[in-house]
Amino acid sequence: MFGTIATEIGLLTALSYIDFDSNSLSGSIPSELGNLVSLRHLELDSNRLTSTIPSELGSLKDLKEVYLQENNLSGIMPEELCARSDYLGGELDTLITDCEGGVNEFGGEDIIVRVAQLVLEGKLDILLVIEIEKAASTNL
């Protein structure tokens, strides 16, 4: 499959599973994916997607797995999506991407870097960071 992901995909609100990995999709990830309130699985890895990851994905309460690695994405992981990670008490089981300067995969030292950013921005309490550091060091 090649081309772009049509913004009209956001009209399919009952859609629960998207697996477009290993294609030749280009362009940006449409923010309209944030309208897919039933989405549980989003797999867009191994394409040629560019731009940033839409923060609207963080509002999808049923979303459990997100695979975005092996694209040409830029920027940092949206705070709205990071906050949903199970490492931070959220419901998101899997979040894998390769954004420059962002979190590559939730786990290990990468999560510590992102959490430290949130603390510096005053969006997380320092005590939560200590607990995450303990959990990450046991998983390395």
Side-chain angles (χ1 to χ4, degrees):
M1 189 165 50
F2 62 91
T4 60
I5 302 171
T7 57
E8 289 81 7
I9 197 168
L11 299 173
L12 305 172
T13 56
L15 195 61
S16 65
Y17 196 98
I18 295 176
D19 186 350
F20 292 160
D21 76 289
S22 302
N23 286 288
S24 293
L25 296 174
S26 58
S28 61
I29 300 171
S31 61
E32 287 80 2
L33 287 177
N35 298 333
L36 304 179
V37 295
S38 299
L39 191 64
R40 297 183 53 80
H41 182 98
L42 178 60
E43 203 163 337
L44 300 176
D45 57 292
S46 303
N47 282 288
R48 293 180 294 184
L49 297 169
T50 58
S51 194
T52 58
I53 299 170
S55 61
E56 289 82 359
L57 295 179
S59 68
L60 298 174
K61 302 300 180 204
D62 290 339
L63 192 59
K64 298 289 185 195
E65 297 178 275
V66 179
Y67 299 88
L68 303 173
Q69 75 274 14
E70 296 181 34
N71 279 293
N72 297 312
L73 300 170
S74 60
I76 62 169
M77 186 68 63
E79 174 187 327
E80 296 84 355
L81 204 50
C82 288
R84 301 253 351 278
S85 166
D86 63 349
Y87 280 97
L88 297 176
E91 315 78 29
L92 192 58
D93 297 328
T94 305
L95 177 57
I96 302 175
T97 186
D98 55 5
C99 283
E100 179 183 319
V103 176
N104 294 327
E105 181 172 347
F106 276 108
E109 294 176 11
D110 292 326
I111 187 69
I112 302 303
V113 170
R114 181 61 180 135
V115 169
Q117 273 183 314
L118 293 173
V119 169
L120 289 174
E121 294 169 3
K123 296 175 180 161
L124 278 181
D125 191 300
I126 192 68
L127 294 176
L128 177 60
V129 174
I130 292 168
E131 292 303 315
I132 291 172
E133 284 178 348
K134 287 178 187 175
S137 66
T138 60
N139 292 328
L140 292 177

